[in-house]
């Protein structure tokens, strides 16, 4: 059982935040300064995006960018959390950031935060690793990295959210709950004997000041974004988001979902495709009756955190493929022969079989099963 | 460090220290050999008398006199028992004045922290109902530890988000309630009927009619404070009125009521007569 969360992309698009009257971005990208989430109206979103990319690139030494552990060389300054290297780096913290990159990235759109997360199971008999966690009705996180650390941190967030609700009778402001875990994570980077948390979050939420999207990293930093993606191969998603974010402002919820799925699809490996088996979507924000049954869903009616996964994602995936002019059923993959294949549960074939269905009959039937073994 | 889920959220056991790698910061101090037994508040000492509150059209008014009594002695005669919290909330306290001073310090600290946090996230500060919920939790928790905050507090304010007035009562037992007119202590017996009469004259017995104007509310409070001075032996004829509207908090200067004591001349043993 892998201890890493192998989701694919976590993308977040903060379009509806833009919709609320913020100015369109102007392209004065700031140099990478490690400032906190800016006060409203100060800068355009492009500044955030580009500076976020800058931050990510510059924080890692060149030799470990793009990630394979085997090419990193160890040095004598990296075994101890409380020892700086001569270059002024804390290597343990940077290695913790690597753990986040092992997890896969998550696209998100704030306000209607659509987290598109590929799920993975280790086999036919195992459940999928849960990547979307509800902290409170108005706050959710998507995780990338060590799931055990994610569980502890998300539990701590839930306690904080609950405490604020009880003591003050209000939902906790999103920036503050993120600040809470950031402070907690920073403590682990400054004490001897403690290791940094090995998980990164994309935190989505909505409070009185509108929708928010934050990236939390094991270094104890938290930055706010209009759209973001973290994890493995997240750069392709970021590229897509940067290219398209101007249209997010006036996009409807279905359009935002399609953007997220497109960004997510950009990060997939060569022969992989988005299927109901490997995609899940979470949303916070005002519901859209065209894609959700508002009357039947309490959370949807109130704009609370809700997740679509497995079968529920099918309609959304179809709408997305239609919007790209692709066949609705998804790519037809090579059908493996029945004999001897039952034992194999390779993800590619599982997904392929799940999405292709049986050709002529409507694919709903096949799509109704999580993973069908190829016939 | 016990990370088992069953221990999540629980306080550390006495044997565990907060930081096992830096024990000098967290080692529990050895208990002194001869320790006084722990004693909690048994009785209030320096006390304030009743506080009144009333909602009017566009705001809330609270009234409290300027006296802090030491039993039957009128000890401190210029105490302000009305306290603004942020731009849109006022609290007024009856009961133990030292507990009230402690309460003011705690609430000011919380508000200051909120203001500092909102510098970065621009989140609006605590609304009157947030402050009220906090006080309710605080008072009930303290009473459950048999160490009450010996006060009866009225919280009045203007909720900017909901654009409506707020008026609530919390006391040392942790009892909470909310109504268009409120009064504590003696005021609950003497002033509340007068406040309700004035309120229902305009809003009707079901409370659905129009609220009174600011002038009418001031007049009712003035009248009630006068009656309380006549009838409450621990009161003083010098009081202030705090008004909260969407424009902010205004605490008036101290004022007094005109009172008639001439009837005492006709009673044997009172007035200037000698027999």
């Amino acid at each position: 059982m892998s201890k890493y969360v192998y989701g694919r992309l976590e993308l977040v698009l903060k379009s509806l935040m833009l919709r609320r009257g913020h100015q369109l971005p102007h392209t004065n990208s700031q140099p990478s300064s490690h400032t906190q989430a800016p006060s409203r109206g100060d800068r355009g979103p492009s500044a955030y995006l580009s500076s976020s990319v800058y931050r990510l690139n510059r924080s890692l030494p060149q030799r470990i960018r793009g990630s394979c552990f085997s090419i990193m060389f160890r040095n004598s300054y990296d075994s101890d959390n409380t020892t700086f290297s001569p270059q002024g780096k804390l290597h343990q913290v940077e290695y913790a950031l690597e753990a986040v990159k092992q997890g896969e990235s998550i696209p998100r759109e704030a306000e209607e935060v659509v987290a598109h997360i590929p799920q993975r199971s280790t086999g036919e008999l195992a459940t999928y690793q849960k990547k979307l966690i509800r902290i409170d009705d108005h706050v959710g996180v998507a995780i990338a990295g060590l799931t055990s650390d994610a569980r502890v941190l998300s539990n701590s967030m839930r306690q904080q959210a609950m405490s604020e609700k009880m003591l003050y009778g209000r939902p906790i402001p999103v920036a503050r709950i993120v600040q809470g875990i950031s402070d907690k994570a920073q403590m682990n980077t400054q004490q001897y004997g403690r290791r940094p948390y090995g998980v990164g979050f994309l935190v989505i939420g909505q409070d009185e000041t509108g929708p928010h999207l934050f990236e939390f990293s094991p270094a104890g930093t938290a930055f706010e974004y209009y759209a973001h993606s973290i994890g493995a191969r997240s750069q392709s998603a970021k590229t897509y988001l940067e290219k398209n974010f101007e249209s997010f402002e006036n996009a409807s919820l279905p359009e935002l979902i399609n953007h997220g799925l497109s960004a997510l699809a950009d990060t997939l490996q060569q022969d992989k495709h988005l299927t109901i088996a490997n995609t899940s979507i979470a949303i916070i924000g005002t519901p859209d009756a065209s894609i959700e049954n508002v009357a039947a869903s309490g959370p949807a009616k109130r704009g609370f955190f809700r997740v679509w996964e497995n079968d529920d994602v099918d309609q959304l995936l179809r709408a997305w493929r239609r919007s790209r002019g692709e066949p609705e059923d998804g790519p037809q993959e090579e059908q493996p022969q029945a004999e001897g294949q039952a034992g194999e549960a390779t993800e590619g074939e599982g997904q392929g079989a799940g999405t292709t269905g049986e050709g002529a009959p409507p694919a709903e039937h096949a799509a109704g099963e999580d993973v069908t073994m190829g016939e | 460090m016990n990370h088992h889920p069953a221990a999540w959220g629980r306080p550390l056991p006495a044997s565990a220290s907060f930081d096992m790698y830096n024990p000098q910061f967290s080692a529990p101090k050895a208990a002194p050999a001869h320790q006084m037994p722990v004693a909690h508040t048994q009785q209030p000492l320096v006390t304030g008398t009743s506080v009144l509150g009333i909602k009017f059209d566009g705001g809330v008014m609270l009234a409290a006199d300027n006296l802090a009594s030491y039993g039957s002695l009128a000890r401190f005669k210029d105490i302000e028992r009305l306290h603004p919290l942020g731009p849109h909330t006022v609290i007024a306290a009856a009961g133990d004045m030292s507990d009230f001073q402690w309460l003011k310090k705690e609430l000011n600290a919380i508000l200051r922290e909120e203001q500092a946090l909102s510098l970065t996230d621009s989140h609006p500060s605590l609304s009157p109902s947030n402050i009220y919920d906090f006080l309710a939790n605080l008072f009930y928790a303290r009473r459950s530890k048999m160490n009450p905050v010996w006060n009866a507090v009225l919280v009045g304010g203007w909720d900017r988000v909901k654009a409506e007035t707020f008026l609530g009562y919390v006391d040392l037992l942790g009892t909470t309630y909310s109504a268009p007119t409120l009064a504590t202590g003696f005021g609950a017996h003497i002033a509340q009927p007068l406040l309700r009469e004035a309120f229902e004259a305009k809003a009707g017995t079901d409370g659905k009619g129009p609220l009174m104007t600011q002038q009418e509310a001031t007049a009712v409070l003035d009248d009630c404070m006068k009656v309380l001075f006549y009838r409450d032996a621990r009161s003083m004829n010098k009081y202030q009125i705090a008004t909260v509207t969407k424009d902010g908090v205004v605490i008036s200067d101290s004022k007094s009521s005109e009172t008639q004591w001439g009837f005492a001349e006709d009673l044997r043993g009172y007035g200037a007569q000698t027999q």
Side-chain angles (χ1 to χ4, degrees):
Chain A
M1 177 77 71
S2 164
K3 59 187 168 137
Y4 292 105
V5 177
Y6 290 112
R8 292 259 164 86
L9 263 189
E10 294 189 10
L11 263 187
V12 195
L13 304 170
K14 209 164 191 185
S15 67
L16 293 177
M17 167 146 193
L18 294 174
R19 190 193 284 188
R20 286 211 174 167
H22 291 266
Q23 293 179 7
L24 276 182
H26 42 283
T27 52
N28 60 338
S29 54
Q30 311 270 345
S32 90
S33 54
H34 291 257
T35 51
Q36 282 296 330
S39 51
R40 300 279 171 266
D42 255 350
R43 312 175 182 170
S46 67
Y48 304 147
L49 284 175
S50 47
S51 62
S52 80
V53 171
Y54 274 129
R55 267 195 286 278
L56 214 59
N57 285 343
R58 289 207 186 171
S59 69
L60 296 173
Q62 289 301 312
R63 63 178 178 271
I64 61 172
R65 224 178 90 201
S67 85
C68 182
F69 266 102
S70 62
I71 64 169
M72 279 183 339
F73 64 87
R74 304 179 63 78
N75 53 49
S76 53
Y77 303 104
D78 70 353
S79 56
D80 188 338
N81 194 15
T82 54
T83 301
F84 279 103
S85 76
Q87 290 79 32
K89 296 192 191 303
L90 287 170
H91 285 292
Q92 278 297 306
V93 175
E94 308 213 348
Y95 299 164
L97 293 172
E98 273 302 302
V100 174
K101 291 183 64 170
Q102 292 295 327
E104 300 180 4
S105 47
I106 317 161
R108 283 219 137 146
E109 307 165 10
E111 180 152 345
E112 287 190 346
V113 182
V114 184
H116 306 268
I117 301 189
Q119 293 170 313
R120 179 183 288 199
S121 87
T122 53
E124 274 287 297
L125 300 175
T127 60
Y128 291 103
Q129 175 59 56
K130 193 164 130 172
K131 287 199 66 175
L132 296 163
I133 301 175
R134 174 184 163 278
I135 303 296
D136 198 351
D137 288 328
H138 68 296
V139 179
V141 302
I143 66 181
L146 295 169
T147 53
S148 43
D149 285 358
R151 204 178 66 240
V152 169
L153 277 176
S154 64
N155 183 68
S156 159
M157 286 175 87
R158 282 171 170 166
Q159 285 176 336
Q160 271 191 294
M162 212 161 63
S163 162
E164 184 94 359
K165 218 171 202 173
M166 177 179 165
L167 268 189
Y168 298 104
R170 67 166 181 188
I172 188 167
V174 185
R176 298 200 195 161
I177 195 173
V178 171
Q179 195 62 39
I181 46 165
S182 302
D183 291 343
K184 197 171 149 79
Q186 190 278 339
M187 279 201 288
N188 280 36
T189 67
Q190 206 175 8
Q191 280 189 15
Y192 178 73
R194 298 192 127 164
R195 69 158 175 85
Y197 288 99
V199 65
F201 286 166
L202 281 183
V203 184
I204 58 172
Q206 187 162 31
D207 58 27
E208 281 179 61
T209 51
H212 296 279
L213 159 66
F214 288 89
E215 183 211 357
F216 158 79
S217 88
T221 54
F223 294 105
E224 188 165 5
Y225 293 91
Y226 285 108
H228 197 43
S229 160
I230 62 172
R233 293 181 299 279
S234 59
Q235 184 53 53
S236 342
K238 283 200 200 90
T239 313
Y240 177 91
L241 293 173
E242 282 181 28
K243 260 196 272 185
N244 292 287
F245 75 96
E246 261 145 5
S247 65
F248 297 166
E249 179 173 7
N250 297 309
S252 66
L253 177 56
E255 288 166 8
L256 284 179
I257 294 179
N258 288 340
H259 277 303
L261 286 170
S262 299
L264 185 61
D266 278 352
T267 70
L268 295 173
Q269 283 161 350
Q270 195 75 322
D271 53 346
K272 303 285 195 282
H273 305 277
L274 290 183
T275 69
I276 60 165
N278 66 7
T279 308
S280 63
I281 300 180
I283 290 205
I284 294 178
T286 42
D288 187 322
S290 63
I291 50 172
E292 45 190 331
N293 187 354
V294 181
S297 165
K301 217 180 324 201
R302 298 181 199 98
F304 290 164
F305 181 87
R306 50 214 186 270
V307 178
W308 285 300
E309 49 195 359
N310 301 326
D311 294 342
D312 303 322
V313 165
D314 185 48
Q315 291 304 317
L316 297 170
L317 279 174
R318 285 172 182 282
W320 169 67
R321 291 187 198 113
R322 277 199 303 271
S323 74
R324 281 156 67 104
E326 292 168 4
E328 215 179 85
D329 291 344
Q332 306 287 321
E333 296 204 357
E334 291 287 316
Q335 298 283 2
Q337 293 311 309
E339 74 279 8
Q341 297 295 337
E344 292 184 21
T346 57
E347 171 143 321
E349 285 179 356
Q351 292 165 4
T355 47
T356 52
E358 282 82 26
E364 284 93 42
H365 300 300
E369 305 154 49
D370 275 357
V371 175
T372 51
M373 293 316 298
E375 279 298 318
Chain B
M1 207 71 217
N2 183 15
H3 288 284
H4 194 275
W8 281 352
R10 295 194 181 280
L12 290 175
S15 53
S17 54
F18 170 70
D19 184 350
M20 62 179 90
Y21 293 102
N22 288 301
Q24 70 271 23
F25 298 124
S26 54
K29 301 189 185 78
H34 300 286
Q35 217 177 1
M36 286 285 288
V38 176
H40 295 305
T41 307
Q42 306 292 332
Q43 51 169 328
L45 295 172
V46 177
T47 56
T49 187
S50 20
V51 175
L52 311 179
I54 190 167
K55 284 192 190 180
F56 62 92
D57 186 24
V60 180
M61 257 186 217
L62 302 183
D65 67 16
N66 291 118
L67 176 65
S69 312
Y70 186 60
S72 63
L73 170 66
R75 181 90 181 262
F76 304 105
K77 295 164 79 167
D78 57 359
I79 303 294
E80 192 167 307
R81 297 196 287 128
L82 302 160
H83 181 68
L85 285 175
H88 295 288
T89 315
V90 176
I91 63 165
D96 190 79
M97 286 293 103
S98 62
D99 278 350
F100 180 48
Q101 287 172 347
W102 171 85
L103 200 59
K104 281 192 286 189
K105 203 156 48 144
E106 290 294 312
L107 288 172
N108 285 342
I110 287 171
L111 277 179
R112 216 170 16 246
E113 203 183 310
E114 281 284 315
Q115 279 160 14
L117 285 170
S118 69
L119 287 174
T120 43
D121 63 9
S122 310
H123 200 266
S125 61
L126 293 171
S127 74
S129 62
N130 297 146
I131 293 171
Y132 179 69
D133 285 340
F134 173 77
L135 281 178
N137 278 295
L138 172 70
F139 274 62
Y140 184 73
R142 285 282 300 263
R143 85 108 216 209
S144 300
K145 290 194 279 196
M146 294 302 293
N147 182 14
V149 182
W150 207 291
N151 290 107
V153 173
L154 290 191
V155 180
W158 174 262
D159 190 326
R160 260 181 316 169
V161 173
K162 295 192 202 141
E164 61 184 23
T165 52
F166 179 87
L167 183 60
Y169 166 101
V170 198
D171 71 5
L172 73 164
L173 299 175
T175 307
T176 54
Y177 61 88
S178 197
T181 64
L182 290 174
T184 72
F186 242 82
H189 294 104
I190 292 175
Q192 184 71 300
L194 299 172
L195 293 169
R196 282 178 179 163
E197 190 181 44
F199 174 78
E200 287 170 9
K202 288 200 86 171
T205 43
D206 57 1
K208 295 200 170 70
L211 295 170
M212 59 183 79
T213 64
Q214 190 168 343
Q215 288 74 17
E216 286 169 343
T218 311
V220 166
L221 284 179
D222 285 339
D223 185 47
C224 289
M225 294 306 285
K226 177 159 81 171
V227 175
L228 280 172
F229 174 60
Y230 276 130
R231 292 296 178 179
D232 182 1
R234 305 286 182 261
S235 63
M236 192 171 76
N237 192 13
K238 183 168 156 231
Y239 61 93
Q240 288 172 289
I241 293 184
T243 311
V244 191
T245 58
K246 62 174 168 43
D247 301 322
V249 175
V250 175
I251 298 184
S252 73
D253 293 332
S254 296
K255 52 172 142 171
S256 301
S257 321
E258 295 282 325
T259 52
Q260 300 268 6
W261 295 101
F263 70 93
E265 302 290 332
D266 301 329
L267 301 172
R268 284 167 69 87
Y270 292 92
Q273 61 186 244
T274 49
Q275 232 342 302

